[in-house]
Amino acid sequence: MAQITLKGATVNTIGELPQVGSMAPDFKMIATDLSVKTLADFKGKKIVLNIFPSVDTGTCAQSVRTFNQKASSLENTAVLCISKDLPFALARFCGAEGLTNVVSLSDFRDGNFGKSYGLTIVDGPLEVLHSRCVVIIDESGKIIYTEQVGEIVDEPNYSAAIACIE
């Protein structure tokens, strides 16, 4: 269980992020067109998992915008923006913002992504949502970078994340 904070108040996650060097757990999430996407759909690419509580908050929206901008220069890389928001909300946000360099995925159906990656919040006002994290997976499916953002309202360390795949 990881301890993080929400505006200074301690909250906990269901577990810990997978270890760097381990194989990424598979997942099944829903894309904005309501298709099912799995880890295998991105096989052979570097994958940035930008994980957040809800695209309808300022920090979460900014992380999607920032990774969209940075993704445009990354070769053979997929940026997956993941939350428990409905696929319709994710599509609305990216459409309104003109964001085309990221893939939005929703874990709304069963929350298994958040559970298997150890990042579901288990108490506090955001209980059952995802904590803010970045996980980077290499072309072979191995995790090469993780960040569990300690304070939910803070942005992730974009520079450190991007540096490990450039």
Side-chain angles (χ1 to χ4, degrees):
M1 182 178 296
Q3 283 196 334
I4 54 177
T5 58
L6 173 61
K7 297 181 180 179
T10 300
V11 294
N12 297 287
T13 65
I14 199 165
E16 301 283 339
L17 290 176
Q19 293 292 312
V20 169
S22 66
M23 295 305 288
D26 198 8
F27 57 75
K28 183 166 67 171
M29 288 184 282
I30 309 305
T32 57
D33 65 0
L34 302 181
S35 65
V36 174
K37 297 291 183 188
T38 67
L39 186 59
D41 290 313
F42 305 96
K43 185 176 181 174
K45 293 186 176 201
K46 297 173 213 161
I47 306 166
V48 177
L49 304 179
N50 173 36
I51 307 150
F52 49 87
S54 175
V55 76
D56 287 323
T57 67
T59 305
C60 300
Q62 187 57 48
S63 74
V64 175
R65 287 184 201 105
T66 300
F67 276 117
N68 178 76
Q69 184 271 324
K70 293 186 178 295
S72 63
S73 64
L74 301 173
E75 290 187 29
N76 194 39
T77 302
V79 177
L80 311 183
C81 294
I82 301 167
S83 70
K84 290 184 86 175
D85 289 305
L86 290 176
F88 313 112
L90 295 168
R92 173 190 40 79
F93 174 78
C94 287
E97 296 272 334
L99 306 179
T100 59
N101 297 321
V102 297
V103 176
S104 296
L105 298 175
S106 176
D107 190 27
F108 82 98
R109 284 200 178 149
D110 58 17
N112 279 334
F113 170 82
K115 294 171 190 167
S116 66
Y117 277 73
L119 51 85
T120 301
I121 298 169
V122 296
D123 53 18
L126 299 181
E127 184 176 347
V128 308
L129 296 181
H130 295 334
S131 60
R132 185 175 319 285
C133 304
V134 176
V135 176
I136 300 182
I137 304 166
D138 72 10
E139 298 92 335
S140 70
K142 185 171 31 170
I143 295 175
I144 59 171
Y145 175 87
T146 64
E147 178 188 8
Q148 170 76 65
V149 178
E151 168 57 57
I152 294 171
V153 300
D154 291 344
E155 291 183 59
N157 186 339
Y158 303 111
S159 298
I162 297 302
C164 81
I165 55 176
E166 285 186 313

